[in-house]
């Protein structure tokens, strides 16, 4: 569990997520649901004043699909955005 | 100078034998330190040819660092992309070159096992590789004795994704597993695993023989070397080897594509459409293509004829992609199906009021919301279609008829 002061982002295990929607109810500032009830997360970092709400949303997920992951302060340069997959057939 | 990978006997002659292969190219050079090839590959600038275009040298170095001599090499010839045929062609005609590359990789990263992961539907490729392995066993005596097994990959789109490939080899389940651990961390049998496309391996086998300067002789402004591409037209598809940087028009001319072209699908179902005008002078070079909002991907260049409908072509593709979801993640299962159904309604003249607007909205919501990048690829293609065929989509939605078909019935 990241220390309370550390900047964190919300990560969703998409295979586990069943679209219960508790997260969007508890953290509407950052999470909305799509037309089928699956979460869309806005922003890469949870603002400090929402940290407690985010932790509550993580704890409330009935299938434990949510977690908080530390976001490095000096954000690493992201790999060039392409629309090709991490690997369709193994590079 | 070209072809290189496909040099040698005509492709119609089938698999090149081990004897012919050795006579033509010589044996693989033996190096005192098998890891030196990693620096050579890095210097060559070779990019992976499975779709993602990750630098091959860097990938091998990453696995070598973790391997401790017990890594696994998974040669990826799943080729589930319906528009691509270059991997199966290479495996079916130059199996020994692919094996050279797999053994080279195993020596370089410190692997004690090789898995050839080949699409179950690619029968000629599997037969060629089986025979090639038998030829090697018969002529044993060079190099260490690495176990090499052939695994038939499920004939699905996602089975070639690298976590799916590892998952299938381990558990017989060809669905992606999400992001961690990645195969280079813990893959086949829990070991560091190099998952590498078969063309990338064959390229590496040539670079080991002839060096990085030779590899870099042909090529484009920003990326050097050659690549296999699959050229698709209404008449069928063919595989050819190009100098990277060849323009789409240059390829069309070389491949004798004579029909008028409405649009070009680049990079396969994970790539995207460009209009004929946008594509014409575009170099087939990963960097130039990325700049143009396109992708080299797995080297698919598919021409849509001027008398074909882009909406209908896209509806078929997106329906296929929705059907190929591994059905693990909600946004992919429901989102792609909804996009596909609405696109089919628009193409078929049964659109309901806001179908086009909904497709546009949904297509902007799916990226990054699956365990693998299947939804990302599918909506990327969809968004390119909405842009390139914007007028056609709007006309289909408004008039519930196909403007292309109408233009042709008028002309006829």
């Amino acid at each position: 569990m990241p220390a309370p002061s550390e900047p964190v982002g919300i990560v969703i295990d998409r295979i586990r997520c069943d679209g219960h929607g508790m997260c969007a109810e508890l953290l509407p500032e950052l999470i909305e649901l799509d037309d089928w009830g699956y979460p869309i997360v806005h922003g890469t970092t949870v603002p400090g004043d929402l940290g407690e709400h985010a932790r509550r949303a993580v704890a409330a997920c009935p299938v434990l699909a949510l977690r908080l992951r530390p976001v490095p302060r000096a954000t690493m340069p992201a790999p060039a955005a392409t629309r090709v997959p991490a690997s369709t057939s193994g590079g | 100078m070209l072809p290189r990978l496909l040099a040698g006997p005509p492709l119609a002659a089938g698999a090149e034998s081990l004897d012919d292969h050795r006579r033509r190219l010589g044996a693989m050079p033996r190096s005192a330190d098998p890891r030196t090839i990693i620096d050579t590959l890095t210097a060559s600038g070779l990019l992976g040819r499975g779709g993602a275009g990750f630098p091959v040298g860097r990938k091998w170095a990453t696995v070598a660092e973790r391997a401790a001599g017990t890594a696994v090499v998974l040669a990826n010839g799943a080729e589930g992309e319906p528009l691509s045929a270059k991997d199966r062609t290479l495996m079916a005609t130059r199996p020994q070159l692919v094996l050279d590359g797999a053994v080279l990789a195993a020596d370089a990263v410190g692997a004690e096992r090789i898995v050839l992961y080949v699409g179950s539907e690619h029968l000629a490729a599997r037969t060629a590789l089986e025979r090639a392995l038998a030829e090697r066993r018969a002529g044993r005596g060079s190099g260490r004795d690495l176990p090499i097994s052939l695994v038939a990959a499920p004939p699905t789109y996602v089975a070639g994704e690298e976590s799916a490939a590892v998952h299938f080899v381990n558990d017989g389940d060809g669905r992606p597993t999400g992001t961690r651990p990645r195969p280079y961390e813990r893959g086949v049998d829990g070991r560091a695993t190099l998952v590498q496309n078969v063309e990338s391996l064959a390229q590496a086998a040539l670079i080991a023989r002839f060096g990085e300067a030779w590899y870099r002789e042909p090529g484009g402004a920003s990326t050097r070397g050659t690549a296999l591409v699959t050229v698709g037209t209404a008449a069928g598809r063919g595989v050819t080897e190009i100098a990277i940087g060849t323009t789409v028009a240059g390829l069309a001319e070389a491949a004798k594509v004579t029909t008028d072209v409405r649009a070009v699908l680049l990079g396969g179902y994970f790539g995207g459409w460009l209009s004929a005008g946008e594509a014409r002078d575009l170099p087939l070079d990963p960097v130039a293509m990325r700049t143009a909002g396109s992708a080299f991907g797995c080297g698919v260049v598919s021409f849509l004829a001027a008398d074909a409908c882009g909406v209908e072509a896209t509806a078929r593709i997106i329906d296929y992609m929705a059907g190929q979801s591994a059905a693990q993640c909600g946004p992919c299962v429901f989102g792609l199906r909804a996009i596909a159904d609405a696109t089919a309604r628009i193409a078929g003249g049964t659109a309901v009021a806001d179908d086009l607007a909904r497709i546009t909205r949904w297509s902007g919501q799916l990226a990054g919301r699956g365990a693998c990048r299947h939804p990302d690829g599918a909506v990327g293609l969809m968004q390119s279609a909405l842009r390139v065929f914007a007028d056609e989509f709007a006309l289909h939605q408004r008039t519930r008829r196909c403007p292309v078909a109408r233009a042709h019935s008028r002309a006829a």
Side-chain angles (χ1 to χ4, degrees):
Chain A
M1 198 69 173
S5 60
E6 217 176 343
V8 292
I10 297 169
V11 183
I12 298 177
D13 182 331
R14 297 290 176 178
I15 295 179
R16 280 194 178 184
C17 173
D18 279 334
H20 291 267
M22 304 292 286
C23 54
E25 224 161 276
L26 292 168
L27 195 60
E29 296 88 345
L30 298 180
I31 299 179
E32 74 168 311
L33 300 180
D34 67 15
D35 290 2
W36 304 276
Y38 292 91
I40 299 172
V41 181
H42 295 289
T44 52
T45 308
V46 177
D49 57 334
L50 289 176
E52 195 43 47
H53 294 273
R55 272 183 284 278
R56 230 173 280 155
V58 167
C61 178
V63 294
L64 307 178
L66 255 68
R67 62 191 173 86
L68 299 179
R69 183 169 64 186
V71 178
R73 270 173 218 280
T75 309
M76 297 274 289
T82 63
R83 290 197 286 89
V84 289
S87 202
T88 37
S89 44
Chain B
M1 194 148 69
L2 283 177
R4 289 174 156 186
L5 292 169
L6 299 180
L11 299 186
E16 184 178 35
S17 71
L18 180 58
D19 286 347
D20 288 350
H21 168 76
R22 292 247 167 94
R23 246 194 311 274
R24 186 168 65 82
L25 291 169
M28 284 291 278
R30 304 218 65 80
S31 171
D33 179 1
R35 291 184 60 158
T36 55
I37 182 65
I38 295 178
D39 295 333
T40 308
L41 289 175
T42 302
S44 77
L46 176 64
L47 302 176
R49 295 292 160 71
F54 193 83
V56 171
R58 201 166 359 130
K59 197 169 192 178
W60 291 24
T62 305
V63 177
E65 272 165 28
R66 295 169 171 268
T70 65
V72 175
V73 169
L74 193 156
N76 195 347
E79 197 171 50
E81 162 68 51
L83 295 178
S84 181
K86 55 105 177 165
D87 289 335
R88 73 198 70 170
T89 301
L90 179 69
M91 293 184 284
T93 58
R94 301 293 179 265
Q96 295 293 353
L97 191 61
V98 172
L99 292 182
D100 279 349
V103 173
L104 176 76
D107 288 341
V109 305
E112 53 183 23
R113 183 182 164 195
I114 294 172
V115 177
L116 307 172
Y117 183 69
V118 182
S120 59
E121 72 277 33
H122 309 327
L123 294 178
R126 286 167 58 204
T127 306
L129 285 168
E130 266 163 20
R131 283 194 192 141
L133 288 172
E135 284 179 302
R136 289 195 174 211
R137 279 192 293 269
R140 179 169 304 174
S142 65
R144 65 197 175 105
D145 208 5
L146 267 174
I148 305 180
S149 54
L150 191 61
V151 172
T156 60
Y157 194 86
V158 298
E161 193 271 342
E162 62 178 17
S163 78
V166 167
H167 197 193
F168 184 78
V169 172
N170 282 341
D171 302 326
D173 181 348
R175 294 181 299 172
T177 55
T179 47
R180 294 276 156 171
R182 299 302 303 170
Y184 70 85
E185 298 167 317
R186 208 159 66 233
V188 173
D189 294 342
R191 291 145 183 240
T193 299
L194 174 72
V195 180
Q196 192 79 67
N197 168 266
V198 289
E199 181 193 345
S200 313
L201 292 172
Q203 293 277 15
L206 290 180
I207 293 169
R209 286 182 168 92
F210 306 117
E212 78 266 19
W214 170 87
Y215 176 77
R216 295 180 63 81
E217 278 166 22
S222 36
T223 311
R224 306 297 298 172
T226 70
L228 297 181
V229 295
T230 310
V231 181
T233 64
R237 61 185 177 195
V239 173
T240 185
E241 187 172 1
I242 60 163
I244 293 171
T246 301
T247 62
V248 171
L251 175 63
E253 197 186 329
K256 300 187 173 59
V257 177
T258 51
T259 49
D260 284 342
V261 171
R262 174 180 300 273
V264 185
L265 179 57
L266 295 164
Y269 286 4
F270 254 80
W273 293 102
L274 290 182
S275 71
E278 291 169 327
R280 188 174 303 117
D281 299 320
L282 179 68
L284 295 164
D285 174 316
V287 176
M289 293 175 81
R290 195 154 53 227
T291 307
S294 180
F296 188 86
C298 56
V300 162
V301 183
S302 206
F303 294 92
L304 183 74
D307 60 359
C309 173
V311 174
E312 193 193 303
T314 301
R316 274 199 307 268
I317 295 171
I318 203 74
D319 180 63
Y320 171 86
M321 291 299 268
Q324 291 291 315
S325 167
Q328 300 189 104
C329 308
C332 184
V333 174
F334 297 102
L336 286 190
R337 180 39 63 200
I339 293 172
D341 289 349
T343 308
R345 284 195 295 273
I346 292 175
T350 59
V352 296
D354 54 351
D355 270 345
L356 184 52
R358 286 197 293 180
I359 290 175
T360 306
R361 180 164 57 86
W362 291 333
S363 295
Q365 290 179 336
L366 290 189
R369 293 175 60 227
C372 73
R373 298 179 63 83
H374 187 73
D376 306 51
V379 296
L381 181 119
M382 194 68 223
Q383 289 178 317
S384 76
L386 291 170
R387 187 184 63 78
V388 170
F389 306 122
D391 295 347
E392 287 173 48
F393 267 99
L395 273 169
H396 274 85
Q397 169 84 46
R398 201 171 64 236
T399 65
R400 311 235 172 122
R401 293 185 63 181
C402 176
V404 181
R406 209 158 31 168
H408 284 281
S409 58
R410 259 206 314 272

